[in-house]
Amino acid sequence: MPIVYKSGLKSLDVDYIEAEISRALPVGYREFLCKMNGFYLTAPDYAQIPLSAVDEGVISFDRFFGLLPEEECNDVISFNKEFIEELNFLDEAVAIGEDGGGNPYVMVGHRGEKGVYYWDRTHLHESDLNNDFDIPEQNDCGNLFFVSGGFVEFYNLIIKSVGGVPNFIEDI
């Protein structure tokens, strides 16, 4: 599966992101941004991640955000400034990617130490069948489901979920 990415950032660019969103990023995510300034999946444009806590047993992954101010829907700063306040009851939440349908992936805790969660912001997984969320919504923001213990583990899960050997393509 092709994975399209932008050239990595400089450490000063990542510092700028942290200053703009008023959050410290975990080392693994910082290193990712310095290697790849976000990425998105193509052909198909999503991967299925197993998550037994939701009704269908899988969730989708579409992209990791980067510093892309000309592409607001892919820009880590724009996305966090617009939506992360909905999770102000959580310690230092940072949206790092999305499923392609408006449901972000969020690192929670000081420097993301508590893990990566799937934020069901659009209430896609609200049925009574099997939605065993880990963090209940407040003020109708949507429940959060634990996906992994940290960014590197989450990244590896994505790469495993694309099937086969991913084909990384730099978008110039």
Side-chain angles (χ1 to χ4, degrees), residues 13-165:
D13 296 323
V14 181
D15 293 343
Y16 171 74
I17 293 170
E18 289 181 327
E20 286 295 306
I21 64 174
S22 302
R23 301 282 194 273
L25 301 175
V27 172
Y29 187 52
R30 285 185 63 92
E31 289 174 352
F32 166 77
L33 289 171
C34 288
K35 184 177 178 182
M36 289 182 244
N37 183 19
F39 76 48
Y40 62 92
L41 306 179
T42 63
D45 61 351
Y46 66 93
Q48 296 286 73
I49 302 170
L51 186 63
S52 62
V54 298
D55 46 8
E56 297 168 7
V58 294
I59 51 177
S60 295
F61 174 85
D62 177 60
R63 66 179 158 260
F64 278 120
F65 300 139
L67 180 59
L68 304 162
E70 68 284 355
E71 302 173 25
E72 279 190 19
C73 67
N74 295 321
D75 183 56
V76 66
I77 294 173
S78 296
F79 194 93
N80 278 277
K81 282 187 173 185
E82 184 170 351
F83 298 109
I84 209 66
E85 188 62 32
E86 295 174 30
L87 298 179
N88 64 1
F89 61 95
L90 295 175
D91 182 32
E92 295 193 27
V94 177
I96 60 169
E98 191 185 49
D99 69 352
N103 298 308
Y105 288 91
V106 179
M107 291 184 298
V108 175
H110 179 68
R111 297 184 67 81
E113 292 169 356
K114 291 184 183 175
V116 177
Y117 291 78
Y118 173 73
W119 176 15
D120 187 19
R121 193 172 171 278
T122 66
H123 299 94
L124 179 63
H125 301 283
E126 254 192 356
S127 74
D128 293 332
L129 296 176
N130 178 34
N131 292 311
D132 191 16
F133 52 84
D134 296 283
I135 301 175
E137 70 179 350
Q138 291 185 18
N139 301 318
D140 204 34
C141 72
N143 297 315
L144 288 97
F145 298 84
F146 180 81
V147 178
S148 72
F151 178 79
V152 173
E153 181 183 336
F154 181 58
Y155 174 87
N156 290 335
L157 176 64
I158 299 306
I159 298 304
K160 181 181 173 186
S161 297
V162 299
V165 178

